[in-house]
Amino acid sequence: MADLNHIIIPARDKDVSAEFLAGLLGVQAEAPWGPFRPVRTGNGVTLDFVTSQDVRTQHYAFLVSDAEFDSAFTKIKEAGVAFYARPNKSGPGEINTLYGGRGVYFEDPAGHLMELITKPYGDEA
């Protein structure tokens, strides 16, 4: 079985986007590697941000612990970042409680829709 190793994420400013996400996730953005600014996730996948004039927004979801969610959500609110309960940006200023967990959607500096969830998607309990 193959494992995802990395994904390249276009951003208006790779450093701004990498530092934003790393700060929310409680990790360090890694040193630049070629044209990329990597952010390594807990399962070893790197999100390699690259500065680009062609940013087509995408959706990225992160499964986090309850403590990591609390920390990131506090940072989102303190930074004044708009957040939503649903991916269509409905439920502004709210989180969701799908599948017995918590989830929130917000945009990164390049406009990518980020999601934090504490329970993977599946059948509701």
Side-chain angles (χ1 to χ4, degrees), residues 7-8 12 20 23 44 48 50 55 57-58 66 68 72 75 89 94 103 112 116 123:
I7 188 165
I8 296 171
R12 288 188 267 293
F20 173 82
D48 295 335
V50 64
V55 176
T57 58
Q58 298 291 318
D66 284 312
E68 290 166 328
K75 293 172 187 174
K89 297 183 184 173
E94 301 173 6
H112 297 295
L116 301 176
D123 296 331

Side-chain angles (χ1 to χ4, degrees), residues 11-97:
R12 288 188 267 293
D13 182 315
K14 68 182 178 186
D15 295 315
V16 169
S17 288
E19 292 290 343
F20 173 82
L21 182 62
L24 289 180
L25 297 179
V27 299
Q28 294 293 315
E30 296 183 5
W33 183 76
F36 307 110
R37 185 72 189 274
V39 174
R40 188 171 306 276
T41 65
N43 59 351
V45 174
T46 59
L47 307 175
D48 295 335
F49 288 91
V50 64
T51 299
S52 174
Q53 298 303 312
D54 186 21
V55 176
R56 297 176 188 170
T57 58
Q58 298 291 318
H59 171 73
Y60 301 94
F62 301 91
L63 180 62
V64 297
S65 69
D66 284 312
E68 290 166 328
F69 185 93
D70 291 339
S71 176
F73 189 52
T74 296
K75 293 172 187 174
I76 288 167
K77 290 187 294 186
E78 287 176 349
V81 173
F83 60 92
Y84 310 90
R86 290 171 284 290
N88 63 358
K89 297 183 184 173
S90 62
E94 301 173 6
I95 65 169
N96 67 61
T97 55

